[in-house]
Amino acid sequence: MPACPNGLDVPAANAHIRTDMTDPSDLFAAKMAAIGFVPPELPDEPPTPEALEAADRTSRFWTSRHAGELPVGSPDHRREACRMFRETFNPYRPSIIAWPRLSPEMLQRVTSLPIWDIAVHTEGRARLRFASYAATLESPEVRDALMLNAWEENRHKEVLSNLVKTYGISLGPEPAYRAPRDPEWMYLVTGYCECIDSFFAFGLFELARRSGFFPLELVQTFEPVIQEECRHILLFANLVAWQRASLPWWRRIAFELRVGAAWIYIAWERLVLARSMKANGMGTGQDSNFTMSSAQAVTSGDVGVRDLMTLCLQENDRRFAGYDARLVRPKAIPALARLGLFLTRPWARKRRSDDAGRIDEGSPAGG
Ligand SMILES: [Fe+2]
Ligand SMILES: [Fe+2]
């Protein structure tokens, strides 16, 4: 199990790290070493089906041994949130993943998805941002949990890199990753970004599984990664809730302003991303439509926005259902999706009656 030595002078240990290391992975490796993080040990051999099933169960079901309530903001709450993260760790090794052989048609589908560059860069940035924030923390248990989170982001990057190599997908050059100047700010931005991305990924992933548009083995290969993102945002939601509840009121106001600013920053960043994708001929230039074009890309059928939102909500609930109910869940994006579904009910009714009309016109009279 990973560990951070107690009493380590983290700022001093970080001081030797340069922010302009040329290899994209050097800076992250240096951060891990400076914090004293020991990466988890992983099995060398491919796991048996039983071991795979057991690891999957461990990662998705967790109940605290703590008796009684876990008041948000209490030391018990923080300790149990970190313990959840540690005890639900899934020890898969990216290099021994057996990537399935794909037919030429399947290969074309996978390689033409316009997501691989963005996905690799997102994981590369996320690992460094979580590690940088972890390095500023005094609490060994939180620092340890966030370093494991950062290490898992690096593992996601490895999984994606292996997939890209296996299927001959060509990527552009990786950007130079930089350690954030304000680690808490970037932690908040990255955490909330993950809350948004994971919510949609849950629905899109299930859509891909149901549609059979991609081979089931390939979809299953990514299952631990998707569940890991669920654990990440569960940890994030609980650490933010803990911080919120434990701050004195004057610091709480400053914190809430930061959280609000992070949401505005994310909205702005996504708008810029959507515009640049439009300029490059990817998607339609609207963020919601980028999600919808991803939905069309993982299924051969037509998917409505409301159907996709409903599926995202169902999957969100299912993926969180196995974790201790005393831990808080990410709430903002599911609440927005529910509000969107509520507000668009008149269109859903109209569509249903239009469809019924079409069926009546096409069916024999007198039925
Ligand atoms: Fe990730
Ligand atoms: Fe993550």
Side-chain angles (χ1 to χ4, degrees):
M1 273 288 115
C4 290
N6 291 347
L8 184 80
D9 184 358
V10 172
N14 275 330
H16 76 280
I17 298 176
R18 288 177 294 120
T19 52
D20 59 348
M21 290 178 162
T22 46
D23 185 295
S25 293
D26 277 358
L27 187 51
F28 177 66
K31 278 270 173 207
M32 279 204 298
I35 300 168
F37 177 76
V38 181
E41 281 181 20
L42 304 176
D44 290 324
E45 298 299 318
T48 60
E50 295 75 32
L52 263 185
E53 210 187 305
D56 182 67
R57 235 189 349 263
T58 301
S59 71
R60 140 201 326 266
F61 298 99
W62 184 85
T63 302
S64 167
R65 292 186 288 279
H66 176 85
E69 295 191 356
L70 280 176
V72 173
S74 66
D76 289 339
H77 172 228
R78 187 177 71 170
R79 188 195 61 239
E80 292 308 298
C82 294
R83 191 201 297 254
M84 171 284 297
F85 199 72
R86 214 167 48 234
E87 293 182 355
T88 53
F89 176 73
N90 185 338
Y92 65 87
R93 185 185 282 277
S95 60
I96 55 175
I97 290 176
W99 295 99
R101 282 178 73 89
L102 302 181
S103 66
E105 189 195 356
M106 287 287 181
L107 190 63
Q108 167 63 19
R109 274 180 202 166
V110 172
T111 55
S112 61
L113 284 175
I115 58 169
W116 303 117
D117 279 286
I118 292 179
V120 170
H121 302 171
T122 303
E123 303 291 0
R125 273 194 300 268
R127 63 181 176 175
L128 198 54
R129 291 174 176 181
F130 285 125
S132 300
Y133 181 59
T136 66
L137 300 174
E138 292 297 322
S139 156
E141 65 192 359
V142 182
R143 198 167 64 209
D144 214 11
L146 282 173
M147 265 318 295
L148 182 59
N149 189 335
W151 181 88
E152 288 180 2
E153 302 297 3
N154 187 53
R155 184 166 61 166
H156 293 172
K157 187 172 179 290
E158 272 181 53
V159 171
L160 287 169
S161 304
N162 291 352
L163 173 140
V164 160
K165 251 185 250 148
T166 305
Y167 296 129
I169 298 166
S170 56
L171 296 184
E174 270 194 77
Y177 300 108
R178 299 196 188 286
R181 259 177 295 180
D182 183 344
E184 187 195 59
W185 166 254
M186 268 308 163
Y187 167 68
L188 289 173
V189 168
T190 310
Y192 285 120
C193 275
E194 284 214 328
C195 290
I196 300 170
D197 295 340
S198 301
F199 178 78
F200 291 112
F202 296 160
L204 289 170
F205 189 75
E206 178 60 12
L207 199 60
R209 195 186 66 78
R210 287 184 191 176
S211 71
F213 207 54
F214 294 107
L216 193 60
E217 303 97 289
L218 187 61
V219 174
Q220 281 167 343
T221 305
F222 272 97
E223 177 53 40
V225 173
I226 304 291
Q227 193 60 30
E228 232 154 46
E229 292 299 0
C230 180
R231 284 167 59 248
H232 291 179
I233 61 175
L234 183 60
L235 177 71
F236 177 74
N238 279 278
L239 292 181
V240 169
W242 178 85
Q243 192 167 353
R244 195 170 252 152
S246 59
L247 287 174
W249 68 268
W250 69 91
R251 286 184 59 201
R252 166 100 188 250
I253 292 172
F255 182 70
E256 295 299 351
L257 287 173
R258 280 212 123 181
V259 167
W263 280 107
I264 293 169
Y265 176 83
I266 291 167
W268 171 250
E269 203 182 43
R270 303 235 153 177
L271 207 65
V272 171
L273 173 71
R275 284 211 179 131
S276 80
M277 289 187 84
K278 186 185 181 188
N280 292 320
M282 296 154 72
T284 61
Q286 290 176 31
D287 203 31
S288 59
N289 280 352
F290 174 63
T291 303
M292 287 315 295
S293 45
S294 302
Q296 307 304 345
V298 298
T299 174
S300 53
D302 227 4
V303 190
V305 181
R306 285 179 53 86
D307 295 338
L308 181 64
M309 287 305 120
T310 306
L311 186 59
C312 288
L313 280 168
Q314 284 167 355
E315 281 299 292
N316 185 71
D317 292 346
R318 182 183 71 81
R319 286 191 179 271
F320 282 110
Y323 301 110
D324 198 310
R326 290 170 291 180
L327 296 179
V328 302
R329 269 64 174 154
K331 292 191 194 85
I333 300 300
L336 279 175
R338 283 198 181 91
L339 180 67
L341 282 176
F342 177 76
L343 294 176
T344 55
R345 272 189 317 175
W347 284 274
R349 264 192 234 116
K350 184 174 178 310
R351 192 176 165 183
R352 264 201 302 276
S353 68
D354 286 354
D355 288 350
R358 270 200 297 279
I359 291 164
D360 281 351
E361 280 165 28
S363 57

